[in-house]
Every structure is written in C-alpha cells, then in structure tokens.
C-alpha cells in the first residue's frame, strides 16, 4: 500500500485549489475556507496512517473541512440558520456537481473570481498565487520584489475585503473574462517563475512549473481568442523544453552552452504552434514578445541563425509596450550580446536605483557588460554583488567562473 502521508500530500498538491474554490463558493470567506482546508489536510496526515487511506481522499478532505466550518459557525454563534445553510449548500453543490460549466477546472474558476473588480488590482495576482496555488506570503513576496510582511498584510486585507464586500464566488460571465485575463495570466506566469527559480540543480523542477503550464492550457481552452494566453503558453513551453539541459552534474549551464540534444523537441514544436496561433489573432502583447524572444534563441541554437538583431528589436518592442525592470535588463543583455556594451550599460543606468539594490539579474548583467568594456574593477564589484545575491549554489558557482574567465 502506498504511503498514507505521500497520498495526503499528493492530494493537497493536485486538489487544493479546486477544493478551496468549492468551499469559498459556499462560505464567501477565503480565510475561513483556508483554515478549514488546512485543518482537514492536517487531520488526514494524523488519521490516514493508522485508519488507512479512504477510497476517495478528496471526498474525505472536503467532508472534514465542511465539518470544521460547521463547528466554527456553531462556536461563533452566528445566525441560527448559518449551520443548516452550510449543510444545505453542501448538498446543493453535490447535486449540481455534474452541471456543465464553461470553466474546465475549479482552480481556473477561482482565479477569475480573485480578479473581481472589487478586489484591489495590485493584490489580485498575489491572491491567486496563495489561494489557488498554495504559495506562502514569503514566496509571493519574492516574486513581487517586496517584503513578506508587506505582502502578508496585503493578502489579509484582500480576504477581509472579499468577505465585507460579499464578493460573489460564482463564475463570471464569459464577457467579463477579457477584463480579468491579465491578472490571471500574470499569476500563472509568476507561479511558473517561482517553480523555475527553485530548480535545485538536479535537473528537476517543482510541481509549480507543470501546474502553471496546465493552467495556461486550460485558459486557451476557455478563451481561445485571447492571443496573450497562447503567448504565455508558448513562452513557458519554450523554457520548460530546455529543463533537462539547464544543469549538468549540479552546475548551471547557460542557454548558449546547453546540449540541444537534451531539449524536448516535441515541446518546442508545441511552443511554436502556440506562438503561431497567437500571431494569427493579431493582438500584440508582452507574453507573445517574450515567447518570440525564446523562439529566436531556440532557432539560433538549433539552426545556426544569427538572431541578435531580431532579439534586440523584439526587446525594443517589449520595453515600449510593457516596460518593466526585467524587460529593460533583458534588453541590456541583448545589446551586450551584439557587442553593444556601452548601449547596454546606458539602459541599465536609466533604471531607478532603489529598484535594483537587491535584484540579482541586474548585477549579473551589469558585471558582464563591465567585463566587455574591460572595466575590470567595476566588473569584479558587480560580480561580487551578484554572487552575494544568488540564492542557490549553482548560480553562485557559475558567476564565480564568469568572474575569472577571460573576456
């Protein structure tokens, strides 16, 4: 028999977002639903090893969580009808479980709910990352370059707002999806980036990258006319296709030196098909441009094409339509790759100083540019800064090698 703890953890990974969406729809209270679900999974870890894994782990979890919510209702002495209302809602939900919905997955449905106009715009994406994908405040804060304390406070306020404003936990009409799409795509990409950055050097990624790709595929099913959804899917597939080549014996291997024989050619083909679909929809966007950059890199390695100027042009458009620190740093790196080190340094010098103090990619690119300009002391200082800001051994080792390597 499989390990009970492993099955509980697997159920949590596979079903957390969907179960949370189910509970939120019946309570309208994200925080209470989260607490109840956490207690249910904790109970599973305690009971399943001795009582055995139930035939339907998800049903056991949702029943335990529902009982917890009912107990909370009794203890809080809310309206007399609160407890029976919860029970009736649960029974009603079970009766309607087979009803058709345009949403192919409850997690995706909850993400669009989290993008409701009543919720502050700057917290919609972080809220999705926590409620649907189960990221904690510290990991979300890292993705958004802010402190865990500030992010935690922001999420708490958002959940209170959902409850006080009685945000309806019902699927939004299809005509409202375009207005909520940007926040949903941002959350999916942030989840992918978090999983990608947590690669441990063994060639393995966390479940987040696979979950993000799956959710992006669901979005293209739900809204096939959304070009940016196809662009995001293409971008992530291109990156994931190179996963096996990204590390060798624990060492980080840059794209320019990767063994293309280890690339997943079928995934690259799927990425190209998704990008072609996006272009046919004739609506330019950030994710399509980023995917096109990755496509150009792949073409360079696989077919020997000189794409340096193409990549620079793509970055120029990206900075123009979707300016961000990441886009500007990528633009600087593209200029440096074409031998335009001074131009690349000029791009970096125009980024606000308070934004880059602890941003490792900035210092890594800056070090590379200084090295190309033969400003050895400046390069060494920037390399040291980048090394100190790196959060894994493989990245630190790579930068140390780059620091001492000849130009």
């Amino acid at each position: 028999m499989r390990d009970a703890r492993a099955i509980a953890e697997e159920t949590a990974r596979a079903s957390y977002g969907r179960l949370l969406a189910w509970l939120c729809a019946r309570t309208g209270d994200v925080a209470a639903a989260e607490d109840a679900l956490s207690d249910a999974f904790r109970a599973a870890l305690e009971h399943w090893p001795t009582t055995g894994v139930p035939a339907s782990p998800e049903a056991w979890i949702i029943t335990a969580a529902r009982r917890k919510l009912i107990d909370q209702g009794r203890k809080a002495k809310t309206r007399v009808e609160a407890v029976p209302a919860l029970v009736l809602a649960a029974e009603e939900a079970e009766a309607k479980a087979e009803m058709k919905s345009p949403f192919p997955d409850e997690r995706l449905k909850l993400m669009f709910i989290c993008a409701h106009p009543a919720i502050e715009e700057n917290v919609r994406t972080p809220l999705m990352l926590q409620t649907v994908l189960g990221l904690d405040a510290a990991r979300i804060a890292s993705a958004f370059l802010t402190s865990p304390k500030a992010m935690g406070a922001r999420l708490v306020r958002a959940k209170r707002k959902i409850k006080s404003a009685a945000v309806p936990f019902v699927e939004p009409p299809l005509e409202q999806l375009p207005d909520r799409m940007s926040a949903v795509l941002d959350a999916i990409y942030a989840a992918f980036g978090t999983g990608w950055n947590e690669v441990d050097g063994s060639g393995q990624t966390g479940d987040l990258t696979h979950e993000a790709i799956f959710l992006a595929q669901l979005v293209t099913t739900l809204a096939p006319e959304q070009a940016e959804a196809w662009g995001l899917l293409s971008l992530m597939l291109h990156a994931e296709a190179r996963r096996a080549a990204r590390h060798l014996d624990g060492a980080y291997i840059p794209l320019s030196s990767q063994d293309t024989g280890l690339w997943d050619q079928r995934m690259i083909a799927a990425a190209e098909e998704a990008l072609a679909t996006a272009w046919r929809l004739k609506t330019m966007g950030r994710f399509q441009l980023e995917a096109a950059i990755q496509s150009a890199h792949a073409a360079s390695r696989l077919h020997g094409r000189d794409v340096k100027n193409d990549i620079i042009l793509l970055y120029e458009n990206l900075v123009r339509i979707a300016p961000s620190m990441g886009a500007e740093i990528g633009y600087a790196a593209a200029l440096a790759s074409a031998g335009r080190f001074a131009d690349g340094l000029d791009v970096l010098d125009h980024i606000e100083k308070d934004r880059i103090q602890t941003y490792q990619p900035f210092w890594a690119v800056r070090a590379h540019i200084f090295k190309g300009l033969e400003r050895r002391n400046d390069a060494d200082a920037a390399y040291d800064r980048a090394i100190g800001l790196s959060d894994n051994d493989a990245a630190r080792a790579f930068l140390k090698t780059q620091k001492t390597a000849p130009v």
Side-chain angles (χ1 to χ4, degrees), residues 121-169:
E121 187 173 351
N122 69 346
V123 80
R124 293 172 191 169
T125 293
L127 186 61
M128 294 175 210
L129 289 172
Q130 187 176 72
T131 58
V132 179
L133 294 161
L135 274 66
D136 58 34
R139 293 166 81 194
I140 298 172
S142 176
F144 286 84
L145 305 180
T146 187
S147 71
K149 183 178 180 180
M151 181 57 70
R154 192 184 302 175
L155 289 165
V156 168
R157 287 196 300 271
K159 292 169 189 176
R160 288 174 179 167
K161 178 63 178 293
I162 289 172
K163 185 176 181 180
S164 63
V167 173
F169 275 80

